[in-house]
Amino acid sequence: MVKSAPPPTTTTRKPSKVEGLKEDSNFLREPVATELLEDTTHFSEEAVQILKFHGSYQQDNRDNRAKGKEKDYQMMLRTRSPGGFIPPQLYLTLDKLADEYGNHTLRATTRQGFQLHGILKKNLKPTIAAIVKSMGSTLGACGDLNRNVMAPPAPFKNKPEYQYAWEYANNIADLLTPQTGAYYEIWLDGEKVISGEENPEVVAARQKNGTGTVFHDNEEPIYGTHYMPRKFKASVTVPGDNSIDLYTQDLTLVVITNKDGELQGFNVFAGGGLGRTHNKEETFARAADPICYVQKDDVYELVKAIVATQRDYGDRSDRRHARLKYLINDWGVEKFRSKVEEYFGKPLVPFKFLAKKFKYQDFLGWHEQGDGKLFLGISIDNGRVKDEGSFQLKTALREIVEKFNLTMHLTPHQNLIFCDITPENKAEIEAILHRCGVVSDPNNIDSLVRYGMACPALPTCGLAITESERIIPTFMERIRALLKKVGLPKTHFVIRMTGCPNGCARPYMAELGFVGSFTESYQVWLGGCPNQTRLARPFTERMHADDLEKFLEPLFVFFKQSRKRGESFGSFCDRVGFDALREFSESYQG
Ligand code: SRM
Ligand code: SF4
């Protein structure tokens, strides 16, 4: 097998250690294949890096850490589910695996996948094999390659643009799926399970090389031996629908149709990303820029051109500076466009004007699907599917899928949608949910909770500085109580929390963002908007959890006194400015 030439980097500095591991891995095989056969509780640091490409992270239960004791090692597995598509047999398998090998919960993620937590190393192989045999995959859910491709989760059958978004999310995901045989060799003893026919256009696009986008005679035609410098995140949406948080993605395609609903092409955004590190100004959250318009026949070449630009010029020496957002930021959009043009082989066409403003939508509750059937969006608190006391969400979902064989779409807000529901089954589904204590009417959920999100953080995430998923329910209750106290009982806004600055629950787009910065303390971000079209800004570096009310009360009172009609909390903070907010807070008497 011919290796691709080492990719050029933007700097002459030494490539990072992970670049060497990728090069030596024989296309993601080693050291994972060898270490999997060893009777150990965990993988080496080198294997852990390669394991990510297979969709798994090595973690340990941080609640169980004790001096002098080996860590309580366990694996997290993440599905690759373009557009959040989870067929019924896959759901039932995941539900069973969570009980058999995992921690009895599933977690719907902010990129429309499911995670299993708590899997022991010795059970990793049967778990992945079971997922693949149920039409699922974990290949490429983590690692330096294209991650799960997002799309609006609503299954509208009478809105062709939604169907196109789905189709192309799948096709882009297939185009950029790693081609190495490593995955099937390691987890399925070489048996390649065919989970669906690939679109022939996608197969052809993967091989086509006019302009240097593809390495011929390489096991990975698009990625080459070194894969991407860092993770790469893509989404496809329709005009007006920002359910996928388009400004946070490395690459977004927006479907453009003509007045008859026929697909013409796509508007292209690039260069969004949120991960940052505290006290390192050179790392930052960045909103994506409009780049160009592309006709539908050229879309795969354009995607390949953008991927090749990042592949060949992204920073491979400093992983904190390796995402596409830094390349675009360092070069400027014009230089980026001209480099993409070189790979694309022809001039880029200007971005098309979009009249519809992007809006955030969560699609919760019952809706007409447009073909006589219904869909139902169910809120999952912070994505955690579990049974706890009289709240039996896991049981309810399993019963519904078993009984009605329904397909699920996970949403970008850690919720799920059941699709293709025959109207006659509505009452029975409602009865199951009711019996299991699950609310199906979104109006019965506190709107702070409905629109809020938190990342997993402790105890599974090795990077967490503070609690997030486990503490956000009490934060929400306290904030609701405070809003009532200041006379804003019904007000709601978008609250997002993460246990560290990596931004997994996209807090930098929220109206009120909490980002773990020190033990029990959070950096607070303000000024985002309800539709997630504007980046928030850091207002304070450390707010101790105990000081939540003291910190927020003046801001809420100022908001109540001085907001414009219909103005949201985030937009108010953005309009009056942080100096005014600080001045008011300092002089506030309570
Ligand atoms: Fe994330 C790393 C969880 C979406 C930015 N993320 C992690 C790890 C794997 C921690 C680690 O590296 O050891 C977390 C595992 C925690 C656990 O216990 O499960 C983790 N990220 C998640 C999920 C599960 C959060 C959730 O609440 O759902 C999301 C899984 C999505 C999926 O299905 O693929 C998740 N992560 C995101 C997002 C949001 C998005 O993609 O829309 C972001 C911000 C957007 C972005 O990438 O810029 C995000 N995660 C990161 C980063 C920072 C990347 C950077 O550019 O600096 C890391 C750390 C890293 O890569 O070094 C990270
Ligand atoms: Fe872990 Fe930080 Fe991501 Fe939360 S934001 S899951 S703490 S990496």
Side-chain angles (χ1 to χ4, degrees), residues 57 59 76 78 107-111 113 115 117 141 230-231 233 273-275 323 414 454-456 460-461 463 502-504 506:
Y57 274 77
Q59 305 184 317
M76 173 269 270
R78 188 182 283 169
R107 197 167 187 290
T109 75
T110 53
R111 287 196 76 77
Q115 280 187 187
H117 285 102
R230 204 64 163 84
K231 53 180 79 166
K233 297 185 170 177
L274 300 182
R323 294 288 295 272
Q414 306 168 324
C455 72
T460 52
C461 180
L463 306 178
N502 282 322
C504 298
R506 300 188 287 269

